[in-house]
Amino acid sequence: MNRYPRNLRGYGPNPPDPQWPGGAKVAVQFVLNYEEGGENCVLHGDAASEAFLSDIPGAAQWPGQRHWNMESMYEYGARAGFWRLHRLFTRAGIPLTIYGVASALARNPEQVEAMKEAGWEIASHGLKWIEHKDMLPEEEKAAIEEAVRLHTEVVGERPRGWYTGRCSENTVRLVAEEGGFDYISDTYDDDLPYWLEIGDRAQLIIPYTLEANDMRFSVSPGWSDGDDFFNYLKNAFDVLYAEGQFDTPKMMSIGLHCRLIGRPGKIAALQKFIEYIQAREGVWCPRRIEIAEHWAANHPPQKSLRPSRMDKPEFVEQFGSIFEHSPWIAERAFDLELGPAHDCAAGVLNALCRKFRTASEEERLGVLTAHPDLAGKLAQAGRLTAESTSEQASAGLDLLTDEERETFTRLNDAYVEKHGFPFIIAVRDNNKASIMEAFKRRIDNDRATEFNEACRQVERIAYHRLKDLLP
C-alpha cells in the first residue's frame, strides 16, 4: 500500500465549535517550561554543556566541560525568574500549566511546592531537557517511563500531560503507547485539540506553539524588545478573539521560560498582555488539563470511515459503485499515494477522478454508457442502482406525467443517437425544470463538447455520492 502518513487536512474548512465554558470566544493557555537543572550539563552525566534557549548569542556546546555562563543563566530562571512569574500569575488569578522536566523538578523542591500550592498543573516535559531525535525507540521508551516514575515520586502524582519539545519521530507514538496521558502536545499543527488514532488508542493531541513563545528572544529571527513580544501576542489574540465572535472559537497557546521572560525587561510585555486580555469579556484562561477534560467530555473521539487505512477489497467494495458500474476506477485509485487528507469526500473524489481522467477515451466512454437514461425504461422497470434511483427521485423524475415521460424518452433517444452515450447531469444540483432546460440546450452541442461535459457531470455525481459516505 502506497500511503502517506502526514495529515495535511485536519478539520478541513469546517472546524468544530469547541463550546468553551461560559461561551468563551477564545481559550488562552499559558505554559511555563521548567527546565532549569534538567538541561545538558556534564554534572548531569551529559557529554557537553547546553547551547539552547539562553541569552548567550551564538552559544555552542562545550564537550566535556561545564559552561559557567550558560549554567548561571539557567540558574537565574530558577532563582529569580520563576518567582517573578509566580507572583505575576498568582496575582492575576491565572493558573499555569508547567511543562516540568522530571530531573529539573527533582532539583527544585521549593518551586515544585509553590506550583502545587498555586493549583498549577505539572505536566511532563521529559526526563531531561535534551534531544530525543537520535534515541533508539527502546531507549526513548525507557526515558519516558523513567520520566513518569521520577515525576510521580517528586510531585506526588503522575503527569497527565506530556510535551517533549526536542522530540523524535517516535515520541508521540511511544508516549501514547505508555497509556496514561490525557493529552500530548508535541505538535504545532492546529488551533484546536484533536484525536489521533495510534493503534487501538484514540489519543488527544493539544497542539503547542513555538511562535507565540518567548523562545524567540533567544533565536533568529527573533525579538530583542519586549514590545515585539507584546505586539505579536496582541495581534494573535485579536484575530482569534474576532474569529470567536464571528466564526469558530479557537485556542491560543503561549510558551514561556523562567530564564527568558522572567527577566525584568521582558516580563513587562507579558504583564501588559495579561492586562489587555483581562479587560475583554469571553476569555477563558485554563490549564491544559482542563482543555483536555473539556474536549473529552464535549468532543469524544468518533469512529468514521478511513479510506487511507482500508485494504484493497474493502476500498473497492466501499467505493466501487461511486462511478456507475465501474469498479475498475476504485481499483486503480487504491494504488495512489493516499493519506489522511483522502479520508473525506473531496479526498476520495480526487483519487477516483485522477484515474477516471487519465483513463483512455474508450474506458471513459464505457463509464458514460453505464449510466441509465433519465426517467428511462430501466427506471420504469425498477432496475436502476440504488444510487441512481435515489438521485432521480430527488429531482422528481420518478413522478413524471405521461407527457413529461414521453418528452424525456424522445430527447433521450435523440441524444444517444447523436452523441453515442446517455444524457448525464448531476440531478441533485437540479430540479425537473432545469434538467429539461439543460437537455434541450446541450443536445445541440458537438460530440467532443458534450463528451467533456458528460465527464464533468459524472465527477459531480460521484462527489454527491461520496458526501453520503464521508465528511
Side-chain angles (χ1 to χ4, degrees):
M1 292 171 59
N2 184 19
R3 296 297 178 259
Y4 187 69
R6 295 171 63 196
N7 188 340
L8 304 178
R9 175 175 178 259
Y11 286 118
N14 300 302
D17 182 349
Q19 302 170 39
W20 297 134
K25 301 175 182 65
V26 62
V28 179
Q29 204 288 304
F30 293 90
V31 167
L32 179 59
N33 294 266
Y34 202 90
E35 299 150 352
E36 287 75 10
E39 77 277 17
N40 281 286
C41 179
V42 295
L43 294 177
H44 305 159
D46 301 308
S49 62
E50 186 57 71
F52 192 42
L53 296 189
S54 78
D55 284 323
I56 300 177
Q61 287 192 312
W62 290 5
Q65 299 183 55
R66 293 178 64 185
H67 193 315
W68 195 261
N69 291 348
M70 179 65 71
E71 289 181 22
S72 69
M73 287 192 171
Y74 271 76
E75 288 161 14
Y76 183 92
R79 293 163 56 116
F82 171 82
W83 298 109
R84 184 169 287 121
L85 288 160
H86 184 270
R87 288 190 291 271
L88 173 61
F89 280 100
T90 53
R91 288 170 181 169
I94 296 176
L96 295 184
T97 287
I98 300 292
Y99 284 166
V101 173
S103 55
L105 297 176
R107 295 186 174 108
N108 291 268
E110 195 168 21
Q111 290 90 334
V112 170
E113 189 61 28
M115 297 171 193
K116 293 169 64 176
E117 288 186 1
W120 295 353
E121 175 199 3
I122 308 178
S124 181
H125 198 8
L127 178 62
K128 300 173 70 176
W129 177 228
I130 60 174
E131 293 284 359
H132 284 221
K133 66 181 179 64
D134 296 320
M135 291 184 181
L136 296 173
E138 55 269 25
E139 180 186 1
E140 186 173 13
K141 180 176 183 291
I144 292 167
E145 292 173 349
E146 177 59 15
V148 174
R149 186 204 66 77
L150 181 58
H151 183 113
T152 304
E153 178 184 302
V154 171
V155 177
E157 58 184 7
R158 71 155 288 147
R160 296 171 60 188
W162 177 280
Y163 173 72
T164 313
R166 300 159 88 166
C167 63
S168 77
E169 64 177 298
N170 300 306
T171 302
V172 172
R173 174 181 62 82
L174 291 171
V175 175
E177 289 174 353
E178 194 274 343
F181 288 97
D182 290 3
Y183 70 89
I184 299 172
S185 288
D186 274 305
T187 70
Y188 314 95
D189 53 3
D190 215 300
D191 297 311
L192 288 172
Y194 61 89
W195 296 97
L196 181 65
E197 291 185 15
I198 300 179
D200 295 331
R201 179 179 176 82
Q203 176 64 61
L204 183 63
I205 304 296
I206 303 181
Y208 186 49
T209 177
L210 294 182
E211 39 83 43
N213 193 310
D214 68 356
M215 67 177 288
R216 292 185 61 184
F217 282 111
S218 64
V219 297
S220 180
W223 300 312
S224 58
D225 189 284
D227 283 343
D228 295 334
F229 187 43
F230 168 76
N231 287 330
Y232 188 89
L233 295 182
K234 176 182 178 297
N235 289 339
F237 172 84
D238 286 347
V239 169
L240 293 172
Y241 191 79
E243 287 183 2
Q245 287 180 298
F246 305 112
D247 190 8
T248 303
K250 305 293 194 315
M251 176 184 73
M252 179 180 180
S253 296
I254 299 173
L256 307 170
H257 299 77
C258 301
R259 62 194 175 278
L260 297 176
I261 200 68
R263 293 282 180 174
K266 298 168 184 170
I267 200 169
L270 179 60
Q271 182 173 350
K272 185 177 176 182
F273 177 71
I274 290 173
E275 292 169 353
Y276 181 77
I277 66 172
Q278 288 191 322
R280 304 294 185 276
E281 294 182 354
V283 180
W284 183 41
C285 292
R287 304 171 303 168
R288 280 175 107 71
I289 191 61
E290 289 159 347
I291 291 177
E293 291 169 344
H294 175 84
W295 206 264
N298 293 275
H299 303 279
Q302 302 291 325
K303 288 290 184 181
S304 61
L305 290 178
R306 295 286 191 270
S308 65
R309 298 188 181 188
M310 294 177 178
D311 59 23
K312 192 165 190 175
E314 183 183 6
F315 188 89
V316 175
E317 179 183 3
Q318 194 68 242
F319 305 115
S321 64
I322 296 300
F323 281 73
E324 195 87 2
H325 296 297
S326 304
W328 59 267
I329 296 177
E331 291 171 357
R332 295 180 187 179
F334 178 84
D335 295 327
L336 290 171
E337 182 191 75
L338 304 182
H342 294 88
D343 293 339
C344 60
V348 176
L349 177 72
N350 184 266
L352 297 176
C353 287
R354 286 173 62 183
K355 291 305 176 183
F356 175 60
R357 293 165 188 165
T358 55
S360 68
E361 182 170 333
E362 182 180 355
E363 288 174 316
R364 285 183 289 153
L365 177 60
V367 175
L368 301 187
T369 57
H371 278 259
D373 291 336
L374 289 180
K377 294 178 180 179
L378 290 178
Q380 297 173 41
R383 293 170 55 197
L384 298 181
T385 63
E387 293 90 345
S388 289
T389 299
S390 174
E391 288 158 359
Q392 294 203 20
S394 71
L397 299 185
D398 59 338
L399 299 173
L400 297 178
T401 66
D402 290 342
E403 182 180 353
E404 289 170 334
R405 187 174 293 106
E406 181 181 342
T407 301
F408 268 104
T409 299
R410 175 172 49 79
L411 289 172
N412 277 328
D413 292 344
Y415 185 96
V416 172
E417 181 177 353
K418 179 175 182 180
H419 298 297
F421 49 84
F423 175 78
I424 300 171
I425 190 169
V427 295
R428 290 207 228 178
D429 293 331
N430 293 275
N431 54 40
K432 188 165 55 177
S434 65
I435 292 171
M436 185 67 75
E437 187 277 329
F439 217 148
K440 294 176 180 179
R441 171 173 45 82
R442 286 172 48 187
I443 198 169
D444 293 328
N445 287 338
D446 62 75
R447 186 182 185 280
T449 299
E450 197 55 23
F451 184 87
N452 290 333
E453 179 60 29
C455 287
R456 283 193 290 270
Q457 293 296 324
V458 164
E459 293 185 8
R460 184 65 181 170
I461 291 168
Y463 183 48
H464 283 299
R465 291 178 177 182
L466 286 167
K467 287 199 295 185
D468 291 338
L469 300 174
L470 294 163

PDB file of all heavy atoms in Angstrom, residues 32 81 84-85 214 217 229 256-264 266-270:
ATOM      1  N   LEU A  32       4.379  27.389  31.251  1.00  0.00           N
ATOM      2  CA  LEU A  32       5.695  27.749  31.751  1.00  0.00           C
ATOM      3  C   LEU A  32       6.574  26.506  31.712  1.00  0.00           C
ATOM      4  O   LEU A  32       6.322  25.524  32.409  1.00  0.00           O
ATOM      5  CB  LEU A  32       5.609  28.295  33.176  1.00  0.00           C
ATOM      6  CG  LEU A  32       6.948  28.692  33.818  1.00  0.00           C
ATOM      7  CD1 LEU A  32       7.654  29.772  32.991  1.00  0.00           C
ATOM      8  CD2 LEU A  32       6.742  29.167  35.253  1.00  0.00           C
ATOM      9  N   GLY A  81      13.717  34.264  38.038  1.00  0.00           N
ATOM     10  CA  GLY A  81      12.664  34.326  37.026  1.00  0.00           C
ATOM     11  C   GLY A  81      11.399  33.599  37.437  1.00  0.00           C
ATOM     12  O   GLY A  81      10.286  34.112  37.228  1.00  0.00           O
ATOM     13  N   ARG A  84       9.373  35.616  39.979  1.00  0.00           N
ATOM     14  CA  ARG A  84       8.742  36.803  39.377  1.00  0.00           C
ATOM     15  C   ARG A  84       7.477  36.380  38.615  1.00  0.00           C
ATOM     16  O   ARG A  84       6.430  37.036  38.686  1.00  0.00           O
ATOM     17  CB  ARG A  84       9.747  37.496  38.461  1.00  0.00           C
ATOM     18  CG  ARG A  84       9.237  38.789  37.857  1.00  0.00           C
ATOM     19  CD  ARG A  84      10.359  39.568  37.175  1.00  0.00           C
ATOM     20  NE  ARG A  84      11.251  40.175  38.157  1.00  0.00           N
ATOM     21  CZ  ARG A  84      12.554  39.927  38.244  1.00  0.00           C
ATOM     22  NH1 ARG A  84      13.124  39.084  37.401  1.00  0.00           N
ATOM     23  NH2 ARG A  84      13.281  40.525  39.161  1.00  0.00           N
ATOM     24  N   LEU A  85       7.563  35.289  37.886  1.00  0.00           N
ATOM     25  CA  LEU A  85       6.405  34.774  37.155  1.00  0.00           C
ATOM     26  C   LEU A  85       5.343  34.238  38.105  1.00  0.00           C
ATOM     27  O   LEU A  85       4.139  34.401  37.867  1.00  0.00           O
ATOM     28  CB  LEU A  85       6.855  33.670  36.193  1.00  0.00           C
ATOM     29  CG  LEU A  85       7.645  34.174  34.979  1.00  0.00           C
ATOM     30  CD1 LEU A  85       8.455  33.052  34.346  1.00  0.00           C
ATOM     31  CD2 LEU A  85       6.701  34.788  33.953  1.00  0.00           C
ATOM     32  N   ASP A 214       8.237  32.876  24.126  1.00  0.00           N
ATOM     33  CA  ASP A 214       9.351  33.763  24.445  1.00  0.00           C
ATOM     34  C   ASP A 214      10.702  33.215  23.992  1.00  0.00           C
ATOM     35  O   ASP A 214      11.720  33.903  24.088  1.00  0.00           O
ATOM     36  CB  ASP A 214       9.375  34.078  25.937  1.00  0.00           C
ATOM     37  CG  ASP A 214       9.712  32.869  26.805  1.00  0.00           C
ATOM     38  OD1 ASP A 214       9.858  31.751  26.271  1.00  0.00           O
ATOM     39  OD2 ASP A 214       9.804  33.029  28.043  1.00  0.00           O
ATOM     40  N   PHE A 217      13.141  35.291  21.902  1.00  0.00           N
ATOM     41  CA  PHE A 217      14.121  36.241  22.418  1.00  0.00           C
ATOM     42  C   PHE A 217      15.540  35.685  22.261  1.00  0.00           C
ATOM     43  O   PHE A 217      16.510  36.428  22.388  1.00  0.00           O
ATOM     44  CB  PHE A 217      13.869  36.543  23.897  1.00  0.00           C
ATOM     45  CG  PHE A 217      12.743  37.510  24.143  1.00  0.00           C
ATOM     46  CD1 PHE A 217      11.555  37.088  24.722  1.00  0.00           C
ATOM     47  CD2 PHE A 217      12.865  38.850  23.795  1.00  0.00           C
ATOM     48  CE1 PHE A 217      10.519  37.976  24.961  1.00  0.00           C
ATOM     49  CE2 PHE A 217      11.822  39.745  24.029  1.00  0.00           C
ATOM     50  CZ  PHE A 217      10.647  39.304  24.603  1.00  0.00           C
ATOM     51  N   PHE A 229       7.276  41.219  21.518  1.00  0.00           N
ATOM     52  CA  PHE A 229       6.551  40.066  22.054  1.00  0.00           C
ATOM     53  C   PHE A 229       5.108  40.451  22.341  1.00  0.00           C
ATOM     54  O   PHE A 229       4.174  39.729  21.962  1.00  0.00           O
ATOM     55  CB  PHE A 229       7.252  39.587  23.324  1.00  0.00           C
ATOM     56  CG  PHE A 229       6.710  38.301  23.891  1.00  0.00           C
ATOM     57  CD1 PHE A 229       6.388  37.229  23.078  1.00  0.00           C
ATOM     58  CD2 PHE A 229       6.554  38.157  25.272  1.00  0.00           C
ATOM     59  CE1 PHE A 229       5.906  36.035  23.609  1.00  0.00           C
ATOM     60  CE2 PHE A 229       6.069  36.977  25.806  1.00  0.00           C
ATOM     61  CZ  PHE A 229       5.747  35.915  24.977  1.00  0.00           C
ATOM     62  N   LEU A 256       6.339  30.002  27.667  1.00  0.00           N
ATOM     63  CA  LEU A 256       7.202  30.854  28.487  1.00  0.00           C
ATOM     64  C   LEU A 256       8.335  30.032  29.111  1.00  0.00           C
ATOM     65  O   LEU A 256       8.196  28.823  29.305  1.00  0.00           O
ATOM     66  CB  LEU A 256       6.386  31.520  29.591  1.00  0.00           C
ATOM     67  CG  LEU A 256       5.123  32.282  29.153  1.00  0.00           C
ATOM     68  CD1 LEU A 256       4.297  32.686  30.365  1.00  0.00           C
ATOM     69  CD2 LEU A 256       5.507  33.504  28.315  1.00  0.00           C
ATOM     70  N   HIS A 257       9.433  30.727  29.434  1.00  0.00           N
ATOM     71  CA  HIS A 257      10.583  30.093  30.088  1.00  0.00           C
ATOM     72  C   HIS A 257      11.063  31.006  31.202  1.00  0.00           C
ATOM     73  O   HIS A 257      11.210  32.217  30.997  1.00  0.00           O
ATOM     74  CB  HIS A 257      11.718  29.851  29.097  1.00  0.00           C
ATOM     75  CG  HIS A 257      11.342  28.934  27.976  1.00  0.00           C
ATOM     76  ND1 HIS A 257      10.565  29.347  26.908  1.00  0.00           N
ATOM     77  CD2 HIS A 257      11.640  27.622  27.761  1.00  0.00           C
ATOM     78  CE1 HIS A 257      10.408  28.322  26.080  1.00  0.00           C
ATOM     79  NE2 HIS A 257      11.040  27.269  26.571  1.00  0.00           N
ATOM     80  N   CYS A 258      11.338  30.424  32.349  1.00  0.00           N
ATOM     81  CA  CYS A 258      11.715  31.214  33.527  1.00  0.00           C
ATOM     82  C   CYS A 258      12.927  32.105  33.265  1.00  0.00           C
ATOM     83  O   CYS A 258      12.966  33.270  33.695  1.00  0.00           O
ATOM     84  CB  CYS A 258      12.040  30.288  34.697  1.00  0.00           C
ATOM     85  SG  CYS A 258      10.696  29.197  35.207  1.00  0.00           S
ATOM     86  N   ARG A 259      13.937  31.569  32.562  1.00  0.00           N
ATOM     87  CA  ARG A 259      15.194  32.301  32.360  1.00  0.00           C
ATOM     88  C   ARG A 259      15.089  33.347  31.266  1.00  0.00           C
ATOM     89  O   ARG A 259      15.997  34.167  31.103  1.00  0.00           O
ATOM     90  CB  ARG A 259      16.325  31.319  32.040  1.00  0.00           C
ATOM     91  CG  ARG A 259      16.090  30.544  30.756  1.00  0.00           C
ATOM     92  CD  ARG A 259      17.027  29.356  30.609  1.00  0.00           C
ATOM     93  NE  ARG A 259      16.701  28.557  29.419  1.00  0.00           N
ATOM     94  CZ  ARG A 259      15.741  27.647  29.371  1.00  0.00           C
ATOM     95  NH1 ARG A 259      14.995  27.424  30.448  1.00  0.00           N
ATOM     96  NH2 ARG A 259      15.523  26.948  28.270  1.00  0.00           N
ATOM     97  N   LEU A 260      13.986  33.325  30.479  1.00  0.00           N
ATOM     98  CA  LEU A 260      13.821  34.293  29.392  1.00  0.00           C
ATOM     99  C   LEU A 260      12.823  35.371  29.787  1.00  0.00           C
ATOM    100  O   LEU A 260      13.202  36.499  30.092  1.00  0.00           O
ATOM    101  CB  LEU A 260      13.381  33.565  28.115  1.00  0.00           C
ATOM    102  CG  LEU A 260      14.387  32.550  27.543  1.00  0.00           C
ATOM    103  CD1 LEU A 260      13.807  31.819  26.348  1.00  0.00           C
ATOM    104  CD2 LEU A 260      15.709  33.227  27.182  1.00  0.00           C
ATOM    105  N   ILE A 261      11.534  35.032  29.805  1.00  0.00           N
ATOM    106  CA  ILE A 261      10.513  36.032  30.129  1.00  0.00           C
ATOM    107  C   ILE A 261      10.607  36.481  31.584  1.00  0.00           C
ATOM    108  O   ILE A 261      10.063  37.526  31.957  1.00  0.00           O
ATOM    109  CB  ILE A 261       9.103  35.474  29.826  1.00  0.00           C
ATOM    110  CG1 ILE A 261       8.082  36.613  29.675  1.00  0.00           C
ATOM    111  CG2 ILE A 261       8.669  34.491  30.888  1.00  0.00           C
ATOM    112  CD1 ILE A 261       8.287  37.472  28.460  1.00  0.00           C
ATOM    113  N   GLY A 262      11.334  35.714  32.406  1.00  0.00           N
ATOM    114  CA  GLY A 262      11.494  36.087  33.813  1.00  0.00           C
ATOM    115  C   GLY A 262      12.411  37.268  34.041  1.00  0.00           C
ATOM    116  O   GLY A 262      12.519  37.766  35.163  1.00  0.00           O
ATOM    117  N   ARG A 263      13.081  37.727  33.002  1.00  0.00           N
ATOM    118  CA  ARG A 263      13.932  38.919  33.128  1.00  0.00           C
ATOM    119  C   ARG A 263      13.065  40.179  33.174  1.00  0.00           C
ATOM    120  O   ARG A 263      12.034  40.268  32.496  1.00  0.00           O
ATOM    121  CB  ARG A 263      14.877  39.000  31.925  1.00  0.00           C
ATOM    122  CG  ARG A 263      15.921  37.891  31.871  1.00  0.00           C
ATOM    123  CD  ARG A 263      17.062  38.151  32.837  1.00  0.00           C
ATOM    124  NE  ARG A 263      18.063  37.072  32.787  1.00  0.00           N
ATOM    125  CZ  ARG A 263      19.213  37.106  33.436  1.00  0.00           C
ATOM    126  NH1 ARG A 263      19.525  38.160  34.194  1.00  0.00           N
ATOM    127  NH2 ARG A 263      20.049  36.095  33.358  1.00  0.00           N
ATOM    128  N   PRO A 264      13.456  41.183  33.959  1.00  0.00           N
ATOM    129  CA  PRO A 264      12.622  42.386  34.130  1.00  0.00           C
ATOM    130  C   PRO A 264      12.269  43.081  32.823  1.00  0.00           C
ATOM    131  O   PRO A 264      11.143  43.545  32.640  1.00  0.00           O
ATOM    132  CB  PRO A 264      13.482  43.287  35.024  1.00  0.00           C
ATOM    133  CG  PRO A 264      14.384  42.352  35.755  1.00  0.00           C
ATOM    134  CD  PRO A 264      14.658  41.213  34.817  1.00  0.00           C
ATOM    135  N   LYS A 266      11.738  41.895  29.985  1.00  0.00           N
ATOM    136  CA  LYS A 266      10.851  41.115  29.123  1.00  0.00           C
ATOM    137  C   LYS A 266       9.489  40.880  29.759  1.00  0.00           C
ATOM    138  O   LYS A 266       8.474  40.844  29.066  1.00  0.00           O
ATOM    139  CB  LYS A 266      11.511  39.766  28.788  1.00  0.00           C
ATOM    140  CG  LYS A 266      12.810  39.896  28.027  1.00  0.00           C
ATOM    141  CD  LYS A 266      13.563  38.575  27.963  1.00  0.00           C
ATOM    142  CE  LYS A 266      14.921  38.756  27.286  1.00  0.00           C
ATOM    143  NZ  LYS A 266      15.770  37.554  27.405  1.00  0.00           N
ATOM    144  N   ILE A 267       9.476  40.714  31.067  1.00  0.00           N
ATOM    145  CA  ILE A 267       8.217  40.355  31.726  1.00  0.00           C
ATOM    146  C   ILE A 267       7.197  41.497  31.669  1.00  0.00           C
ATOM    147  O   ILE A 267       5.981  41.255  31.753  1.00  0.00           O
ATOM    148  CB  ILE A 267       8.461  39.918  33.179  1.00  0.00           C
ATOM    149  CG1 ILE A 267       7.261  39.086  33.673  1.00  0.00           C
ATOM    150  CG2 ILE A 267       8.720  41.117  34.084  1.00  0.00           C
ATOM    151  CD1 ILE A 267       7.515  38.384  34.992  1.00  0.00           C
ATOM    152  N   ALA A 268       7.671  42.713  31.492  1.00  0.00           N
ATOM    153  CA  ALA A 268       6.736  43.838  31.380  1.00  0.00           C
ATOM    154  C   ALA A 268       5.779  43.636  30.207  1.00  0.00           C
ATOM    155  O   ALA A 268       4.593  43.981  30.286  1.00  0.00           O
ATOM    156  CB  ALA A 268       7.511  45.142  31.219  1.00  0.00           C
ATOM    157  N   ALA A 269       6.262  43.046  29.106  1.00  0.00           N
ATOM    158  CA  ALA A 269       5.413  42.790  27.949  1.00  0.00           C
ATOM    159  C   ALA A 269       4.344  41.760  28.280  1.00  0.00           C
ATOM    160  O   ALA A 269       3.184  41.883  27.864  1.00  0.00           O
ATOM    161  CB  ALA A 269       6.264  42.304  26.781  1.00  0.00           C
ATOM    162  N   LEU A 270       4.714  40.738  29.039  1.00  0.00           N
ATOM    163  CA  LEU A 270       3.756  39.710  29.427  1.00  0.00           C
ATOM    164  C   LEU A 270       2.693  40.291  30.357  1.00  0.00           C
ATOM    165  O   LEU A 270       1.500  40.010  30.203  1.00  0.00           O
ATOM    166  CB  LEU A 270       4.491  38.559  30.112  1.00  0.00           C
ATOM    167  CG  LEU A 270       3.637  37.398  30.602  1.00  0.00           C
ATOM    168  CD1 LEU A 270       2.882  36.734  29.465  1.00  0.00           C
ATOM    169  CD2 LEU A 270       4.505  36.375  31.334  1.00  0.00           C
TER     170      LEU A 270
END
